[in-house]
Amino acid sequence: MTECYEAGDALHGYRIRAEARKISDPRVIAKSGRHKAQRIILTENAEAIIERKLGWIK
């Protein structure tokens, strides 16, 4: 398991569980073309864990 502790480190997965004392309101962002996603910002003692890895298509 890779540990991420530096500014700019990223997690990428199918399902990520996150916990924090403060969570921002969800913001809708554009991903690609017509596809949309949501972004939230976790502050104060934030932690995230990948619960399920992405399934790659060959």
Side-chain angles (χ1 to χ4, degrees):
M1 181 169 129
T2 304
E3 296 194 16
C4 304
Y5 289 106
E6 298 298 323
D9 288 354
L11 294 174
H12 193 74
Y14 182 82
R15 182 173 55 231
I16 299 173
R17 182 183 71 212
E19 300 171 0
R21 287 181 53 92
K22 291 185 181 180
I23 300 172
S24 69
D25 291 333
R27 305 269 184 210
V28 176
I29 58 172
K31 289 300 276 185
S32 62
R34 299 171 113 181
H35 299 277
K36 304 259 187 294
Q38 292 182 355
R39 174 183 292 157
I40 60 168
I41 298 172
L42 309 173
T43 55
E44 291 190 28
N45 201 20
E47 176 184 4
I49 299 168
I50 298 173
E51 290 188 338
R52 182 175 167 195
K53 297 189 329 184
L54 280 173
W56 295 101
I57 300 172
K58 292 185 180 181

